[in-house]
Every structure is written in structure tokens, then in C-alpha cells.
Amino acid sequence: MAALRGFLRAQRLGRRAVSSLHRFQSTLVIAEHANEALTPITLNTITAAKRLGGEVSCLVAGTNCEKVAQELSKVQGVSKVLFAQHDAYKGLLAEELTPLILETQKQFSFTHICAGATAFGKNLLPRVAAKLDVAPVSDIIEIKSPDTFVRTIYAGNALCTVKCDEKIKVLSVRGTSFEAAPVSEGSAAIEKISAPAPVGQSEWMEQKLTKSDRPELTSAKVVVSGGRGLKSGDNFKLLYDLADQLHAAVGASRAAVDAGFVPNDMQVGQTGKIVAPELYIAVGISGAIQHLAGMKDSKTIVAINKDPEAPIFQVADYGIVADLFKVVPELTAALKK
Amino acid sequence: MAAAGLRAMVGVKRVIDYAVKVRVKPDNSGVVTDGVKHSMNPFCEIAVEEAVRLKEKKLVSEIIAVSCGPQQCQETIRTALAMGADRGVHVEIPAKDYESLTPFQVSKILAALAKKESVNLLLLGKQAIDDDCNQTGQMTAAFLDWPQGTFASEVNLDGDWLKVEREIDGGLETVRLKLPAVVTADLRLNEPRYATLPNIMKAKKKKMEMVKPSDLGVDLTPRVKTLSVEDPPQRKAGVKVETVEDLVAKLKEIGRI
């Protein structure tokens, strides 16, 4: 009888321990990195994770990522860095990373799993969510509470507030909507975790990256973008010269990409990158809905366009109706002074 | 596998036309869809085009076009049939359930259909331009335990493997996927064809099957609830400047340069 009572008591205590665990939030941030360097959006994602309340852990997986783990352990607000190194993580394939994340989840029972809404995060997180049998929430721009988020729909033309009742919330975070967490004063413990057996149904082969000395588009303070009005790829040199004076990144509209003036990864818009720099200079860009989706949260927008009816002027803080081939060199010269 | 040709399934979604400026409903429950022009999601068109091109190269033997939603989705399926898909499957979702339908349920439906039809290549668009989720392909691949080639800008068959060039943030990367696989199309994958009138007429005779989610064992209970839909903050009207000097002066004044 006493034994039975003891057993029931233990069971009750156990239940209480479980329910109190559920009250605490704990978030896993999947770190994005390449070539031993942390991708900056991970720091924005950590800020979002901190806003959820509770402990923030980071998972670093790769073939050679000890340096990234070290760097993350110094980020303010990170309490634990989980670190998995294996050749199977070459190219950070979703098929290989998903089992590792599931294993980690089984061990630590996070309430939230998130990553930056980049090509990496968008590729990986929905696969993880499906395996956890939960519906994910993409590209959140605001956290109202641990289960209520704001995201944009219809190319940024509506804000949608959603409540996610899932037991585990899987979220991708819009980098430009959250500050970067400072890389200082942190002192997270690095814990090595073992990698599950490779899946082997996919294989990373090669990468062709666009080389550039300019700042990275999504985190640049100033962005100069060109559209169809540039007329040719060679004319983009005008924008590179202007960008050099401003230490700006160079972006493009879909028209400029489709016409082959510049590579795809420079595209700003609904289907390209989302930027929110302090200054966005749109040159020869009409301002289609899909382009505005990618830049209308910029602090100051300048439009240079010869068509006074171009929709870009409806969102521009400063507009100049003139030929870009005259204005851009003048602007570059004026900035040199 | 390649000799017999792949069996391809393409998911297509009916969305508000990309050129329409959407309006938020006054009660903040969603956007106005009644009486608004709808068409096939642009990324789905690219997925259909790719499937048709693979069939023209004799790498694909049959193309099944699928859409989940209300009655009007059948027009979207007809468009896919007119572009070259062989037959359609309409997964009927009552209007009430359709409002809260998310990629989670659609992926379960697609995964069940892919198994039922024993397809070995599932092509989807990388995202729908209404919910902008970018989830369905990845989730379907997960439910099927198939590899995924997302944001594809080039697809090539390589024996029992599929070589996919993907658009990533810094440029492009190539991966190899063991078939069966899921591929989601990026804008640069191809230029979709226009359906010609004779093909539109022929498409009317192609078979379209009606299926219910319950037939596939998929539960439509909403998992993520929309609390409100609002207009984004409006930007204040700006000013036009006459000269480059004025522009530079203004930007200096506010500390942007």
C-alpha cells in the first residue's frame, strides 16, 4: 500500500515537473554559416529568440565550424551552443540536417525552433516542421507573444497576425525586422552533440558564388539598385561607382536580372531579397508591387527616374525626375567632393 | 527508371493575379477576393512548364496537375492541362475550410496523392504569391521522406538521380537528389508558354478527377489561426527635388550621407 502511494506520488511529481517545463520557453536557433564564418542574420534571429523569453540555444552543424561555435558562445543572450561536426553536413543539406535537429529536439524539448528567413532557413525549417508534425510560420516581422506573430502576405501589402497553437513553434525570422545581437560578453557553454547516421539521398556538388567586395545586400546600410532603365549590364558600372562613394551594396529589380544585366542573387523584391537599409536609392526602377515588397521598409527612399508617373515616386522620400545617365554621374561626383 | 519515363505530379494554386493591388477587408478578417481577378500562381506556371518540357524531352511519361481548393480551382487545372499536363486532380476543399488551409494540410494532401498515383517527381512553385509561405514543397518532401531541390533554376536528369541547380543567397549551387524527389521552381527556371486556343479546346476533353481530403485521410483542422489582417503602415508622401545638389543637401540634412 505504502509502495503504491509512493508510486502515485512520484507520478504526480513527475507530471508537475513536465507541466512546469512547458511553462518555460526555450528556443533553438539554427545557426547559418559558410566557410567558417557566421552569417549575420543568425544574430538578428538570436534577438528574436530572446524576445520569445526563456533560454536561447544555438545549433551549429557543419563540416568545419568550430570557429563559428566559438563566436556564437560569445553572443549576448545565448546560453548554450550545441555543436555537431560531420562530413555529411557538407553543403548544409536539409535532408541531413533535419534528423540532427529532430534528435536535438528529442533531447532538449525546445518550445521554439527558429532560423533566419534566408534561402538556408526557408529550405530547412518547413522540412523540420513537417517531421515534427507541426505547421511552421514563415518570415515573421514581429513577436507579440510566444505564440502570436506578425508576418506579411501578398508581397508585403497586408500584415497578418497569426496564433500558432502547435506544441513546438517553428519560425523563420525576417532579419531586417530585428536588431543584431551583440557579439560580446556572452559566455555560453559549447556542448558537442553526436550526428545521426547520414541519410545519403542527396549530395552537394558545387557552388557558384557571386564575388564582390561590397557589403552584403541584406545587411548593408545603403543600397543602390538599378532596373530596366539602366539598359545594359555595362551601364551598371555607373551604380557601382556611386555605391563605392556610399559604401553601399548594389541591388537590382527583376527586370534587370531577367534582362541579364546582373546575376539573380542581386534581386530585391518579393521573390528576391528583402532589404531595409537606412538609405535605398532606386535608379531606373518603376516600382512594381513585387519590387516594393523587398525595399519599402527602408528608412529613406530616393528615386531617380525620368517618368514622373512611376509608382516608385509614391513611396520615395526624395525623388528626382530626370535622366539617370545624367543624374547618377553627377551624384557620384558631388559625393566625391 | 528514366527509360520508362518519370511520372510527374505538379501542384498548382489559384491566387489573386500578381498585378492586382489587394485590398484588406474592413473587418480585418482577410483581403477582398470576391470579384477580383485570379490566375495561376506564377511559380506554379513555371513548374508546369518544366514538367511539360521534361515530357517533350521524353524524360517524363505522364503529368498530373493537382489543385486544392474550391470549385474555381478547376479553371487553374484546365490552364495546366492546356499547357500540356495530361490529366487533373481537383481536391475539393469547402470554402469554410479553405480560408484556414495552410501549407501543412496541402502538403499532407500532396504527399498522399503522390503515393496514390505512384509518381516519382513532384514539381511545385517555390512559393504562392498570396500567403508568401514558401513551405509546401519542403513539407511534402518531408512527409514523403523524399529529397528536395528547392528554388530550382535548372533541372537535369542523371540516371536515377536529379541534378538541380538552386538559387541561394550568394549565387547558385548544384545538388544531386536521388529519385523520387520534390523540386520547387524559382523564377529563372524557364519562361512558361502561353496556352494556344486549340490546346485550350483540347484541355476541355482531358480527364479531371474529383477527390476529397477525407478520401486521402487528411484532416483539415487549422493549426495556425489568423487573428487579423491589416494594411501595412503607409509611407508619408515625399518631395521632388530639382537638382542633384538639392538631393545631396537633403540627404546630408537628415544624416543619411
Side-chain angles (χ1 to χ4, degrees), chain A residues 95 123 133 165 208 296, chain B residues 148 150 172 223 225 235:
Chain A
E95 294 81 3
N123 181 52
D133 202 35
D165 291 328
K208 281 178 266 175
K296 68 179 181 182
Chain B
Q148 62 192 47
T150 51
L172 297 166
R223 313 287 284 255
K225 290 190 192 96
R235 288 189 78 97

Side-chain angles (χ1 to χ4, degrees), chain A residues 32 91 93-95 118-120 122-124 126-127 129-131 133-138 148 151-167 200-210 222 246 254 257-258 264-265 267 270-273 278-279 281 289-290 295-302 304 308 313-321 327 330-331 334-335 337, chain B residues 16 18-22 24 31 33 43 46 102 104 108 126-136 138-151 153 158 161 163 165-179 186-188 223-233 235-245 247-248 250-257:
Chain A
E32 181 174 352
L93 295 161
E95 294 81 3
T118 56
F120 166 79
K122 289 174 183 173
N123 181 52
L124 175 64
R127 189 172 181 104
K131 284 287 174 202
D133 202 35
V134 301
V137 183
S138 296
T148 307
R151 58 184 303 271
T152 66
I153 52 175
Y154 290 95
N157 285 299
L159 298 180
C160 183
T161 305
V162 296
K163 187 168 181 289
C164 175
D165 291 328
E166 301 287 13
K167 55 190 188 296
Q201 55 176 206
S202 58
E203 210 177 279
W204 184 87
M205 298 179 75
E206 60 164 349
Q207 212 170 51
K208 281 178 266 175
L209 298 184
T210 311
V222 181
L246 293 161
R254 185 186 161 188
V257 172
D258 283 352
N264 315 341
D265 54 296
Q267 186 184 325
Q270 182 183 19
T271 63
K273 298 210 168 71
E278 288 178 9
L279 176 62
I281 305 180
I289 297 172
Q290 292 77 14
M295 46 64 80
K296 68 179 181 182
D297 291 328
S298 305
K299 296 216 172 64
T300 302
I301 298 173
V302 170
I304 301 171
F313 287 118
Q314 290 163 21
V315 300
D317 299 286
Y318 301 105
I320 180 160
V321 181
V327 172
E330 272 182 34
L331 187 54
L335 291 168
K337 277 185 223 156
Chain B
I16 292 182
Y18 75 95
V20 171
K21 175 103 178 72
V22 296
V24 170
V31 305
T33 53
F43 291 99
I46 298 170
T102 58
F104 183 83
K108 289 213 160 169
K126 78 160 177 180
Q127 77 189 66
I129 61 164
D130 50 2
D131 62 28
D132 282 333
C133 277
N134 195 331
Q135 297 170 346
T136 305
Q138 295 88 314
M139 296 184 81
T140 311
F143 288 132
L144 289 164
D145 253 319
W146 291 1
Q148 62 192 47
T150 51
F151 328 141
S153 59
D158 178 11
W161 294 69
K163 240 169 92 176
E165 186 181 71
R166 309 179 52 229
E167 292 198 14
I168 55 166
D169 289 331
L172 297 166
E173 75 173 19
T174 309
V175 294
R176 228 161 70 97
L177 313 173
K178 194 161 195 184
L179 286 165
D186 213 319
L187 270 180
R188 248 69 59 173
R223 313 287 284 255
V224 175
K225 290 190 192 96
T226 297
L227 301 182
S228 71
V229 174
E230 282 155 61
D231 278 313
R235 288 189 78 97
K236 273 190 286 173
V239 294
K240 294 250 170 79
V241 293
E242 295 300 324
T243 65
V244 169
E245 286 69 41
L247 178 61
V248 172
K250 295 273 195 218
L251 291 176
K252 276 198 176 138
E253 210 174 284
I254 59 164
R256 288 286 177 244
I257 55 174

Side-chain angles (χ1 to χ4, degrees), chain B residues 150-225:
Chain B
T150 51
F151 328 141
S153 59
E154 204 182 308
V155 176
N156 286 300
L157 201 63
D158 178 11
D160 285 347
W161 294 69
L162 206 59
K163 240 169 92 176
V164 179
E165 186 181 71
R166 309 179 52 229
E167 292 198 14
I168 55 166
D169 289 331
L172 297 166
E173 75 173 19
T174 309
V175 294
R176 228 161 70 97
L177 313 173
K178 194 161 195 184
L179 286 165
V182 176
V183 170
T184 73
D186 213 319
L187 270 180
R188 248 69 59 173
L189 183 58
N190 60 49
E191 184 112 4
R193 70 193 65 192
Y194 289 103
T196 59
L197 190 60
N199 284 343
I200 293 170
M201 299 312 288
K202 265 186 238 160
K204 292 190 176 170
K205 295 202 182 79
K206 289 184 180 174
K207 211 176 104 195
M208 189 167 344
E209 187 191 345
M210 260 45 93
V211 178
K212 289 198 165 52
S214 54
D215 301 338
L216 301 165
V218 176
D219 171 23
L220 298 181
T221 310
R223 313 287 284 255
V224 175
K225 290 190 192 96

Side-chain angles (χ1 to χ4, degrees), chain A residues 16 37 43 57 74 82 85 95 106 114-115 133 149 162 192 203 210 232 265 289 296 322:
Chain A
R16 207 173 299 159
L43 298 173
S57 303
K74 296 187 187 77
L82 303 165
Q85 204 156 271
E95 294 81 3
K106 211 186 271 169
C114 51
D133 202 35
F149 315 101
V162 296
K192 207 164 172 176
E203 210 177 279
T210 311
S232 79
D265 54 296
I289 297 172
K296 68 179 181 182

Side-chain angles (χ1 to χ4, degrees), chain B residues 103-121:
Chain B
F104 183 83
Q105 294 85 6
V106 176
S107 314
K108 289 213 160 169
I109 291 170
L110 292 176
L113 273 177
K115 272 191 206 152
K116 184 180 158 212
E117 301 281 356
S118 31
V119 299
N120 36 24
L121 176 62

